[in-house]
Amino acid sequence: METTQLEGLISMLFVLGILVLLVLPSAFGIVRDRRIDRQLREAEQGHRKDQKSSSKPTEPSTATWYAEGRRSKKLVSS
């Protein structure tokens, strides 16, 4: 290899290195965004499955039962 060819090779590698340094952050950002989108999609599908599977009626909590009782007592006493 002659000197001019070696200089050309070094210059080409330098330019490619700079290009990689400029493209690498955006590539990481794209990968990160896709991962977050996938996680959000999976969470949304899991939430939909939970809603469909809970078709059976649930019993009210103690706080709800207590509040309902107090409301009915107020109506009676008024």
Side-chain angles (χ1 to χ4, degrees):
M1 273 179 109
E2 296 179 15
T3 307
T4 55
Q5 290 176 335
L6 187 60
E7 288 175 358
L9 180 65
I10 291 172
S11 298
M12 186 175 62
L13 290 175
F14 183 74
V15 168
L16 287 174
I18 290 176
L19 180 66
V20 167
L21 287 175
L22 290 174
V23 171
L24 204 58
S26 65
F28 282 141
I30 291 169
V31 169
R32 181 177 175 262
D33 286 346
R34 287 190 179 192
R35 179 177 48 93
I36 291 171
D37 288 343
R38 187 185 71 240
Q39 289 174 346
L40 288 172
R41 205 175 316 115
E42 289 172 357
E44 185 177 301
Q45 288 174 353
H47 182 66
R48 286 183 185 166
K49 287 179 185 176
D50 290 344
Q51 284 181 345
K52 289 180 183 177
S53 66
S54 64
S55 60
K56 62 181 179 185
T58 58
E59 293 184 25
S61 67
T62 305
T64 306
W65 174 79
Y66 180 75
E68 290 290 328
R70 294 207 25 105
R71 276 192 218 116
S72 64
K73 285 180 184 176
K74 282 184 180 178
L75 291 175
V76 171
S77 65
S78 313

